[in-house]
Amino acid sequence: MRGLYPILLFVIFVRCLEAKKIRWCTVSSPEHRKCAELAKALVAVLPPAAVAAFARLSCIRASSTTDCMNRIKANRADIVTLDAGEVYSAVKQFDLVAIAKEIYSDGGCVLSVAVVTNSSLDIRSLRGLRSCHSGVRWTAGWSLPLGFLLSRNYLSWSKEHPLSHDVSAFYSASCVPGAAALAPSLCTLCQGQKSYIQQNNYHCETSHSEPFYNNQGALRCLRSGTGDVAFVDHLALESIEGSERGNFRLLCADGTQAPLSKYRSCNLGRGPGGGMVTRHNFRKVARKFLMTAQLLFGRQGRERRRFQLFDSSVFGESDLLFKDGTAKLAVLPDDMDVSQVLGLDYVALLKGLGHEGSSLEDSVVRWCCISHAEQKKCEQWALSIKSDPLVCVKGVSMRDCIEKIKRDEVDALSLDASHSYIAGKCGLVPVVTEYYGKNCVHAEGLAHSETDVLPSVVGVAVAKHSSRSVFIGNLEGRRSCHGHMYSPAGWLLPYRHRLSLDRNSSSPCDPNKVYNEVFWKGCLPGSQGDLCKVCLGGTGEAATKRCTDNHNERYYGNMGALRCLVGDPTGKSYGDVAFLEHHNLNENILSLNSTGWATGWASSDFELLCGDGRRAALSEWKSCNLGAVPPNTIMTRPVLTARVYDFLMKSQEALANNANTEFKLFESHQYGESDLLFKDATQCFAQTSHMDYRSILGEEFYTHLETVFNCTRSDILEFCNQDVCSIF
Ligand SMILES: *[C@@H]1O[C@H](CO)[C@@H](O)[C@H](O)[C@H]1NC(C)=O
Ligand SMILES: *[C@@H]1O[C@H](CO)[C@@H](O)[C@H](O)[C@H]1NC(C)=O
Ligand SMILES: *[C@@H]1O[C@H](CO)[C@@H](O)[C@H](O)[C@H]1NC(C)=O
Ligand SMILES: *[C@@H]1O[C@H](CO)[C@@H](O)[C@H](O)[C@H]1NC(C)=O
């Protein structure tokens, strides 16, 4: 027993020491010197007790950032600052945690820019050039530009190999520090010292001893004429001196060039900035250390005259320990997962690029289905195409699907004009737009539209012929039927008309408020309260409580609003007016009988309510409608644009070439509904991946939506705005 005592004491002693000492991992001599200066400065300004308690810094010299992650994991170092792409690897592959993020003077994000010196280069013709990158898997130097090139199809990825393979074939030569293990050819331009002893090898390493490492290294690679293009973040542009700025140009997404000052409009995307990582059990100490260091030596630190945390100039390198552009560190709470730290868009991008190794999911397209009927149609679709796998994933509404796309749980779906606006605000992008015109080009069985004119549909208000006193202006206290929440024809258009003459339109900005004030009750699937009272819910396989925002609710959509107007078979739960789209109204009236909902209805039993108070036959829709509705757009995450486009085109082609198939992509009545997955009026897809959602919607419709959503609360827009690098 006696012999154990000293050992026990020794263990306790060592553990205490360990808890008090912070071992910062450095990757070069200049960084090591800065770290040592920081350690000295701490000792000089803090009372000895405080230093002993949590501010005893020692500096560990490692050969690369990967070496640092290994050492921290093995408890041979404690903390290091990494690019966001490496933070992701540190969390996923090294089981470390992010404890703080760098915040720059313009926020927590970086913009990826492509810098050149040759005025005849553009972003579309990078193939065969020599490229310089800040680091492999780095946000601005690797992931964002590759995501951009893939989404535009300027770079193609066969998926048979990891992406780095296709990248090394794309450029004629590169320096991508950190890439030696992925593809040695990505290192050909690097200039660090080579050695067979790993600790002495700096060639193509993520260390300042590799001259072309980091943002400044990539710019050095460009400046020296070694490379033709450098991928760096916008903060790096600050360091380029005034006299030299004229020599450099940025490559913009639209194929033009711009001066360095235009990086806000001329960039390849935005992503999270750098962060600090440590081991789980070291979080508390590391956080306390960072807060203390910042309090003393940050931009506003009380001892900043002695030492500056975010300045590396005196050590002869840039971005040592932290990025020099850092304004402050944001210390993170304990319970954040990696997608909260780095943002959903960014994490989805990294998965899209195979950051965790390539996965079998790569060739699968996951379609979001919002109802039982859509799920059935989608499964038939999946069976009808043989080549590319389609997986049908269940969502509960278009908004839920947008969230699922951002969470990387599904890939795509077709969205109505209002939801396209929401998805666009959430950072999703168009692939194709539903084309309702007659100009589909049939070439080799491939139907697609090459026109830039995208025909719209119209929204109308419909009443029963027999309800003679119902007209626009006299709807106060009546029962209403609306396609669904945020639907262009059912929600966005009607409130702009003077629905009730008795009432001054006092709040013409929030449609929900207007409908709640004007109507007695109604069915607006996806809403609450009185505007759910007329809804029915669903039964059988599609059983659901009433007012859900999908076809399981019998009164959802264009078909549902018509059912609502007619009333359920018992003659209850009916509306006086229905707001819906015109394009499939006649077919839907006919299908009331064939789907067993109601017999004996014909088009002549209904009339349109015009905005000016008149009533007219259904055939008068061109002059008697509530406004135009831009087409639905199929949207996805940017990195998937080319894949989803390919899938849709192949799928369309396969269906056109197989005359035996029963399956029709743009028909829904066999499932007892209308507009499942796509609007029934669709003739083919028009490629719109070169357009942004704003130009697809048209300036007028876009502004209308912006006005409405500026004063209408929406959970999904709030959800998207929370994302770390939300699109402004
Ligand atoms: C600039 O780029 C063009 C096109 O790649 C090339 O032909 C030309 O030689 C380059 N000029 C210089 C000065 O490198
Ligand atoms: C409606 O507006 C007019 C003019 O703005 C005003 O005179 C009138 O009192 C208002 N009526 C109601 C019921 O608010
Ligand atoms: C209505 O549907 C029933 C049963 O499907 C059918 O027998 C009848 O002919 C249909 N009536 C009309 C007018 O289409
Ligand atoms: C909506 O709000 C934003 C931010 O407040 C503003 O910039 C924009 O002009 C508004 N748009 C409209 C159409 O009111």
Side-chain angles (χ1 to χ4, degrees):
M1 282 307 278
R2 190 168 288 229
L4 267 180
Y5 259 97
I7 297 174
L8 211 58
L9 276 177
F10 177 74
V11 169
I12 291 168
F13 180 63
V14 168
R15 297 207 68 182
C16 289
L17 259 193
E18 211 173 73
K20 289 172 195 162
K21 196 173 71 177
I22 316 288
R23 293 164 298 176
W24 199 287
C25 190
T26 66
V27 296
S28 66
S29 309
E31 190 164 68
H32 201 79
R33 286 204 301 277
K34 182 175 176 186
C35 177
E37 286 303 315
L38 172 59
K40 270 196 240 162
L42 283 165
V43 172
V45 304
L46 284 176
V51 173
F54 56 83
R56 237 169 67 124
L57 179 66
S58 72
C59 306
I60 305 290
R61 179 80 159 80
S63 60
S64 68
T65 50
T66 311
D67 188 18
C68 283
M69 291 187 249
N70 271 316
R71 283 171 190 252
I72 297 174
K73 184 178 179 177
N75 196 6
R76 289 190 288 122
D78 300 315
I79 183 167
V80 68
T81 305
L82 298 171
D83 179 88
E86 292 182 309
V87 169
Y88 184 79
S89 307
V91 171
K92 290 285 175 184
Q93 287 159 24
F94 293 84
D95 202 25
L96 305 181
V97 282
I99 44 162
K101 283 202 291 193
E102 292 175 344
I103 305 292
Y104 314 112
S105 61
D106 54 357
C109 292
V110 293
L111 296 167
S112 169
V113 288
V115 189
V116 296
T117 49
N118 183 335
S119 61
S120 52
L121 300 180
D122 80 79
I123 196 76
R124 292 167 302 196
S125 53
L126 294 180
R127 182 182 298 279
L129 297 185
R130 298 163 304 160
S131 63
C132 315
H133 307 252
S134 50
V136 76
R137 290 173 176 167
W138 283 30
T139 307
W142 180 262
S143 298
L144 290 171
L146 291 181
F148 172 83
L149 293 173
L150 287 171
S151 75
R152 295 292 179 94
N153 227 353
Y154 300 152
L155 164 70
S156 62
W157 179 15
S158 61
K159 298 284 166 71
E160 284 152 26
H161 310 281
L163 179 57
S164 50
H165 180 274
D166 293 54
V167 175
S168 64
F170 182 76
Y171 296 113
S172 62
S174 306
C175 178
V176 192
L182 294 181
S185 56
L186 290 175
C187 293
T188 44
L189 299 182
C190 295
Q191 300 200 333
Q193 172 195 311
K194 282 186 185 173
S195 167
Y196 291 106
I197 302 160
Q198 206 200 335
Q199 292 303 312
N200 295 340
N201 180 62
Y202 294 113
H203 187 255
C204 203
E205 281 301 339
T206 46
S207 155
H208 306 98
S209 305
E210 161 59 61
F212 291 169
Y213 164 69
N214 211 329
N215 285 302
Q216 294 310 326
L219 288 177
R220 214 171 272 145
C221 167
L222 175 69
R223 244 187 223 113
S224 66
T226 312
D228 302 305
V229 57
F231 296 99
V232 296
D233 64 43
H234 74 286
L235 300 166
L237 304 179
E238 292 288 314
S239 71
I240 301 177
E241 300 289 333
S243 56
E244 207 198 3
R245 289 181 85 83
N247 301 343
F248 295 102
R249 308 275 293 168
L250 300 178
L251 301 183
C252 311
D254 64 2
T256 60
Q257 291 194 351
L260 296 188
S261 58
K262 298 284 185 222
Y263 62 82
R264 286 195 167 279
S265 55
C266 178
N267 62 68
L268 307 180
R270 55 177 47 220
M276 282 115 265
V277 300
T278 187
R279 285 179 309 283
H280 282 267
N281 62 4
F282 204 73
R283 294 191 304 262
K284 286 202 178 68
V285 188
R287 266 197 213 111
K288 191 159 183 193
F289 174 79
L290 286 176
M291 286 193 272
T292 307
Q294 161 153 264
L295 218 57
L296 296 170
F297 308 122
R299 297 256 174 233
Q300 310 297 326
R302 42 184 171 86
E303 299 287 346
R304 63 179 182 276
R305 271 178 205 89
R306 178 178 286 274
F307 182 85
Q308 292 189 7
L309 216 46
F310 308 128
D311 182 356
S312 311
S313 50
V314 294
F315 303 97
E317 253 304 335
S318 9
D319 302 331
L320 302 174
L321 305 183
F322 305 94
K323 240 187 215 316
D324 294 337
T326 306
K328 62 175 184 194
L329 304 177
V331 175
L332 303 170
D334 252 348
D335 47 4
M336 280 179 111
D337 75 17
V338 72
S339 58
Q340 287 172 298
V341 176
L342 302 177
L344 290 168
D345 292 339
Y346 184 69
V347 169
L349 169 68
L350 297 191
K351 285 185 183 165
L353 297 178
H355 212 50
E356 282 169 284
S358 71
S359 74
L360 287 174
E361 265 174 35
D362 284 349
S363 61
V364 174
V365 169
R366 297 165 300 176
W367 208 266
C368 196
C369 306
I370 62 171
S371 58
H372 183 70
E374 281 204 346
Q375 188 85 20
K376 276 200 296 192
K377 180 175 176 184
C378 182
E379 279 159 16
Q380 289 303 311
W381 182 15
L383 288 175
S384 75
I385 42 172
K386 302 288 183 299
S387 51
D388 292 40
L390 170 68
V391 175
C392 306
V393 180
K394 200 160 162 267
V396 296
S397 66
M398 287 191 197
R399 291 188 293 295
D400 180 47
C401 288
I402 293 171
E403 188 174 328
K404 284 193 157 63
I405 293 179
K406 282 185 70 82
R407 293 189 185 281
D408 195 9
E409 292 167 15
V410 302
D411 299 323
L413 84 157
S414 180
L415 294 167
D416 67 33
S418 331
H419 284 84
S420 302
Y421 168 89
I422 293 173
K425 288 280 173 193
C426 291
L428 307 187
V429 294
V431 181
V432 294
T433 294
E434 295 179 0
Y435 182 75
Y436 310 129
K438 301 209 161 28
N439 290 325
C440 290
V441 182
H442 289 268
E444 301 162 26
L446 184 68
H448 64 105
S449 172
E450 284 175 347
T451 171
D452 271 348
V453 183
L454 296 167
S456 45
V457 296
V458 299
V460 292
V462 184
K464 280 164 283 201
H465 189 267
S466 57
S467 319
R468 303 306 305 168
S469 62
V470 175
F471 54 87
I472 301 257
N474 184 27
L475 295 179
E476 176 96 25
R478 299 198 187 271
R479 285 162 292 210
S480 58
C481 307
H482 311 254
H484 62 271
M485 192 55 140
Y486 305 150
S487 59
W491 182 81
L492 186 70
L493 293 178
Y495 85 100
R496 296 182 104 192
H497 298 268
R498 193 87 186 275
L499 299 177
S500 158
L501 295 177
D502 301 345
R503 181 176 297 275
N504 280 347
S505 37
S506 56
S507 57
C509 181
D510 179 351
N512 290 319
K513 223 167 154 186
V514 174
Y515 303 140
N516 269 300
E517 281 172 17
V518 169
F519 298 112
W520 168 32
K521 58 184 183 177
C523 180
L524 169 57
S527 74
Q528 298 160 354
D530 289 343
L531 289 176
C532 282
K533 287 191 173 154
V534 174
C535 297
L536 277 193
T539 53
E541 288 170 306
T544 179
K545 61 181 193 304
R546 69 179 175 196
C547 213
T548 56
D549 205 0
N550 60 52
H551 315 87
N552 294 349
E553 160 60 58
R554 303 298 280 150
Y555 286 176
Y556 175 89
N558 290 329
M559 186 75 210
L562 178 66
R563 282 194 197 108
C564 169
L565 182 63
V566 166
D568 79 350
T570 68
K572 284 188 254 161
S573 298
Y574 63 90
D576 302 306
V577 57
F579 300 104
L580 40 73
E581 287 165 354
H582 169 265
H583 66 89
N584 54 0
L585 182 54
N586 281 318
E587 291 92 322
N588 286 347
I589 291 171
L590 287 176
S591 77
L592 281 174
N593 181 44
S594 60
T595 57
W597 182 260
T599 47
W601 292 94
S603 295
S604 56
D605 296 320
F606 300 94
E607 277 187 330
L608 300 179
L609 310 182
C610 318
D612 58 7
R614 283 181 306 125
R615 290 173 53 130
L618 299 194
S619 56
E620 306 284 303
W621 58 274
K622 277 191 180 148
S623 58
C624 177
N625 63 61
L626 302 187
V629 174
N632 280 24
T633 297
I634 288 77
M635 295 183 71
T636 187
R637 291 182 298 282
V639 69
L640 293 184
T641 331
R643 190 206 300 176
V644 174
Y645 179 75
D646 253 24
F647 165 78
L648 287 173
M649 287 303 145
K650 277 191 197 151
S651 177
Q652 210 174 226
E653 184 179 9
L655 289 170
N657 287 344
N658 185 356
N660 298 329
T661 178
E662 302 264 290
F663 180 76
K664 298 272 186 299
L665 206 49
F666 308 128
E667 286 181 14
S668 311
H669 281 137
Q670 52 272 52
Y671 308 94
E673 283 297 336
S674 72
D675 306 315
L676 296 173
L677 306 179
F678 309 98
K679 271 197 214 305
D680 296 335
T682 312
Q683 302 300 310
C684 58
F685 297 122
Q687 180 172 14
T688 45
S689 50
H690 57 293
M691 295 168 80
D692 72 352
Y693 70 101
R694 186 169 179 160
S695 44
I696 293 172
L697 291 173
E699 208 48 40
E700 192 188 334
F701 203 83
Y702 179 90
T703 309
H704 181 187
L705 281 162
E706 193 173 67
T707 312
V708 168
F709 282 110
N710 265 4
C711 60
T712 305
R713 215 189 71 84
S714 141
D715 287 344
I716 181 70
L717 284 174
E718 278 171 21
F719 167 80
C720 291
N721 282 336
Q722 278 166 18
D723 207 12
V724 175
C725 286
S726 56
I727 313 293
F728 43 76

